[in-house]
Amino acid sequence: MAGGIQSEQRSIDWHFCLWAFYRSLPITITLTISSLMVVAVYEFKSPKSYEASSLVRLHSQAQNSLSPQASNIDLKTATQLVKTFLTVQEALKLIQEQKLTTMDVSESVRQHSISLNPQDVLNFVRARGYEPDLIRISVRHNLPEVAAVLANGIAEAFIARLNKEILAEVTDERRFIETQLKALRVGLQRLDKQILEFERKLSNINVPNEVRLLVHFVKIFSTELVMLEAEIRNAIRTGEQLHQFPSNTEHAALHQRFLEDFERRGAELEERRKFLTTLLQQSHRQLRRFPKQQRELSDLVRRLQVLGQAYTSLLSRMQSVQNKEVMALNSATIVNAAFVPNRPVGLGLFGLSILALSISLVVGIGITLLSEFARPSVRDLGELESIFGSRPLSVIPKAKLRMEFGSLMQIMTSRHIVAEAFRTLRANLRFVIMNRSSGGEVKVFLITSTIKGEGKSFVTASLGIAFAQIGKRVVIVDANLVNPCMHKFFGVDGTDGLSDVLKGVVSLDDALKGTRAANLQLLPSGTHLKGSTSITPVELFSSEPMRDLLQRLKERFDLVLIDTSPMMAFADTNILAPMADGVLVVVELERAARKAIESVKEQLELAQVKIIGTVVNKASQKQSYEYLIVHF
């Protein structure tokens, strides 16, 4: 539960965030200066790089006209074709021969291109396709004119190579059709001769003129039907192209009239084809009635008809291939030629500086936060202030002192730095007492720490002497029943004390012990709890006699200081804290864990105890100086 509260407080602790930013300033400034120096050296020493780009568009009609094997050259394949050794090699050849059509090549650039290796140029080239038909060719080089010439040269070489690839495939198809047409032409001529020879034989046999006329009509009808079917196919293909051709508003009427004419012409041709087919079928039926020679003539005519149809189909295909050859010369165009760039690519000095500043700030704060959360202990005054929300009431310097009353009195009566620190603490507590006196008497202060060994008993004794020196009647209550030490420190008998008074064994007057310091008395812890298991300190402090005892002490003394056990070790302090007018937390920096100190603060806040402030004990010289600078 404590861990959950702690995490929630951190997430909204803006004071801690500001403190972390302040802590990160030295490392952030160092990183910023270093990064700016690196950026300056990089900007002025590194070679500048210029980028030029050309834009190529693939023509969709050229792609549609390809054969099934060639139709695989899509946008992705064409983009890969740009970054090939042969394309770059051809581009360098165009540049060296000064044959670029998109820009003029200077003599210096031409001489420079001679030293370029196509494999090295490939490292400068980037090609990216954009649907549906655009390819951007980018070239980076330390010479701006070279970058532009290479971008345009590669674009032109790519288009030339693409045209060459498509044209080669179409040319192969045309040559195949020409071979087939030649063979069919020979076959048609041979059949035509056979038919003429057969007709002469039939005329010698005295075939009636009616039969010869019928054979002649069959031949005419067959030839006319072949030509008519070829004309119908051409009309259908032309109509389909007209339907696919996009029409705008200005030519809509003309476009519609063309479509109507072709549809009417197609219907007429279809009617004529049906009529010729009917006549041919009737002629064949009549010929079947004639002798064998006449039927052989009819078979020759039918073979002639088949070859004629094949020949007409190949003629149509040849016309289509010839159209492909024309369109293959325009398969792609450069829609945007590269120009000579006037600025190098990259962020520039200003952009790099902003980036360096941002990274330095993030890294500096990140390193600070990581180091603060990674280490367990509280290291400086700023972090302690971020936990409790206020500066320490005093910082007690670390000094070599013997833990005995005589040594402490000698220091407290001098101008020693430790004595001055306790006088500062005394003055701050007097301000607290004055500010809160309107709400009732403020006399009882509980002094505790997080863990053992932070010096809370030393602070309690020294603070009691400091108040006694200005005439205040002070009593120190040793409530550390587990490990009492106040009676040893002041050199008094600790037999009868707090536990004995609470048990009713001795009276308060008998338990109070005078000290060698004027106006200062001590209520030791007592001895009646040693070896006892029936009553614990928690039960003893929770009793009504404890409250009555504190009330009697407030009536007899000006100030009551309660020295307790460390809060993380025992639960005694949690019981006594609500009975006091305020709590002082003694902290030794770089000793107690941050989570432990935060836990102490949370426990006191849950008990609704007023935390007067913190006292830093055993501070280093640097920490003491930092406190003096900030405080005064």
Side-chain angles (χ1 to χ4, degrees), residues 338-471:
F339 58 89
V340 180
N342 54 12
R343 286 185 179 182
V345 294
L347 297 177
L349 182 60
F350 178 77
L352 289 174
S353 301
I354 295 298
L355 180 62
L357 289 174
S358 304
I359 294 177
S360 300
L361 182 63
V362 172
V363 171
I365 295 178
I367 292 176
T368 303
L369 292 176
L370 183 62
S371 62
E372 294 301 327
F373 285 110
R375 60 176 178 80
S377 61
V378 176
R379 188 166 56 185
D380 54 31
L381 300 178
E383 187 174 0
L384 184 64
E385 181 181 345
S386 70
I387 296 175
F388 286 92
S390 61
R391 297 190 183 96
L393 296 177
S394 183
V395 174
I396 313 300
K398 187 175 184 180
K400 294 181 179 180
L401 300 175
R402 288 178 295 174
M403 297 304 296
E404 58 182 24
F405 180 75
S407 177
L408 183 59
M409 282 300 298
Q410 183 180 358
I411 291 177
M412 293 301 296
T413 54
S414 66
R415 302 294 295 178
H416 195 278
I417 187 173
V418 174
E420 292 299 330
F422 278 108
R423 293 186 185 109
T424 301
L425 177 59
R426 179 183 66 191
N428 289 333
L429 283 178
R430 291 184 68 186
F431 283 127
V432 172
I433 294 172
M434 291 173 58
N435 292 333
R436 297 184 59 192
S437 59
S438 58
E441 291 183 320
V442 180
K443 292 184 176 183
V444 181
F445 291 95
L446 185 142
I447 302 174
T448 185
S449 64
T450 305
I451 59 176
K452 180 181 178 181
E454 294 186 272
K456 61 175 178 52
S457 299
F458 168 73
V459 172
T460 304
S462 301
L463 184 61
I465 294 174
F467 270 102
Q469 287 177 338
I470 61 174

Side-chain angles (χ1 to χ4, degrees), residues 82-108:
V82 173
K83 291 193 62 177
T84 57
F85 182 88
L86 293 177
T87 302
V88 175
Q89 189 178 43
E90 184 65 26
L92 291 176
K93 183 178 179 181
L94 292 175
I95 295 171
Q96 294 166 10
E97 295 177 357
Q98 296 183 330
K99 291 183 178 180
L100 289 186
T101 60
T102 50
M103 67 181 298
D104 296 330
V105 181
S106 64
E107 183 61 25
S108 60

Side-chain angles (χ1 to χ4, degrees), residues 69-356:
Q69 294 79 8
S71 61
N72 293 327
I73 305 181
D74 55 4
L75 180 62
K76 184 177 179 180
T77 306
T79 304
Q80 295 296 325
L81 190 63
V82 173
K83 291 193 62 177
T84 57
F85 182 88
L86 293 177
T87 302
V88 175
Q89 189 178 43
E90 184 65 26
L92 291 176
K93 183 178 179 181
L94 292 175
I95 295 171
Q96 294 166 10
E97 295 177 357
Q98 296 183 330
K99 291 183 178 180
L100 289 186
T101 60
T102 50
M103 67 181 298
D104 296 330
V105 181
S106 64
E107 183 61 25
S108 60
V109 173
R110 191 186 74 81
Q111 293 295 332
H112 182 79
S113 66
I114 297 175
S115 62
L116 293 177
N117 188 336
Q119 193 62 43
D120 296 333
V121 175
L122 286 175
N123 298 327
F124 311 149
V125 180
R126 290 184 302 170
R128 183 175 181 182
Y130 298 90
E131 294 293 343
D133 54 7
L134 293 179
I135 300 177
R136 179 178 296 277
I137 303 173
S138 302
V139 177
R140 285 192 178 185
H141 199 270
N142 54 358
L143 298 177
E145 189 176 357
V146 173
V149 169
L150 284 175
N152 290 325
I154 292 174
E156 293 188 19
F158 161 71
I159 293 176
R161 187 178 177 191
L162 186 64
N163 292 341
K164 184 178 180 181
E165 294 286 340
I166 298 175
L167 185 61
E169 295 179 1
V170 175
T171 302
D172 291 341
E173 184 179 2
R174 178 178 58 79
R175 290 173 179 173
F176 172 77
I177 295 175
E178 288 176 348
T179 303
Q180 296 296 319
L181 283 174
K182 184 177 180 181
L184 284 177
R185 196 178 298 114
V186 172
L188 286 173
Q189 291 175 355
R190 185 173 62 254
L191 278 176
D192 198 26
K193 290 181 181 179
Q194 289 179 359
I195 291 174
L196 291 176
E197 183 66 24
F198 210 85
E199 286 180 347
R200 282 195 298 271
K201 292 180 179 180
L202 289 178
S203 61
N204 294 332
I205 303 175
N206 196 20
V207 179
N209 293 331
E210 181 182 356
V211 175
R212 287 198 295 269
L213 184 61
L214 185 60
V215 172
H216 180 67
F217 283 157
V218 168
K219 181 178 179 182
I220 294 175
F221 291 161
S222 299
T223 304
E224 186 176 355
L225 182 60
V226 170
M227 299 300 294
L228 183 62
E229 288 181 349
E231 188 176 356
I232 290 174
R233 284 195 296 271
N234 289 331
I236 292 175
R237 188 180 301 106
T238 303
E240 290 177 350
Q241 293 177 355
L242 284 175
H243 279 290
Q244 293 176 356
F245 184 77
S247 61
N248 50 31
T249 307
E250 299 178 358
H251 305 92
L254 182 60
H255 183 266
Q256 183 63 31
R257 188 165 63 254
F258 282 158
L259 289 178
E260 292 176 355
D261 291 342
F262 272 103
E263 290 176 356
R264 183 172 60 257
R265 176 59 177 166
E268 293 175 355
L269 292 175
E270 182 64 24
E271 289 293 331
R272 178 64 177 170
R273 186 187 66 81
K274 292 180 180 179
F275 176 71
L276 289 176
T277 302
T278 303
L279 288 179
L280 192 60
Q281 290 175 353
Q282 292 176 357
S283 299
H284 282 304
R285 283 196 297 270
Q286 292 176 6
L287 284 174
R288 291 192 187 98
R289 299 196 299 266
F290 290 98
K292 178 180 178 182
Q293 294 82 0
Q294 296 166 345
R295 288 198 300 271
E296 290 178 357
L297 178 61
S298 178
D299 291 338
L300 290 176
V301 171
R302 281 197 297 271
R303 289 173 60 190
L304 180 65
Q305 178 183 359
V306 172
L307 289 179
Q309 289 177 348
Y311 186 80
T312 305
S313 177
L314 284 177
L315 283 177
S316 177
R317 188 176 174 186
M318 173 63 85
Q319 184 180 3
S320 177
V321 170
Q322 290 173 348
N323 292 335
K324 291 179 186 179
E325 287 183 316
V326 174
M327 288 184 290
L329 299 177
N330 193 25
S331 59
T333 55
I334 299 177
V335 296
N336 188 20
F339 58 89
V340 180
N342 54 12
R343 286 185 179 182
V345 294
L347 297 177
L349 182 60
F350 178 77
L352 289 174
S353 301
I354 295 298
L355 180 62

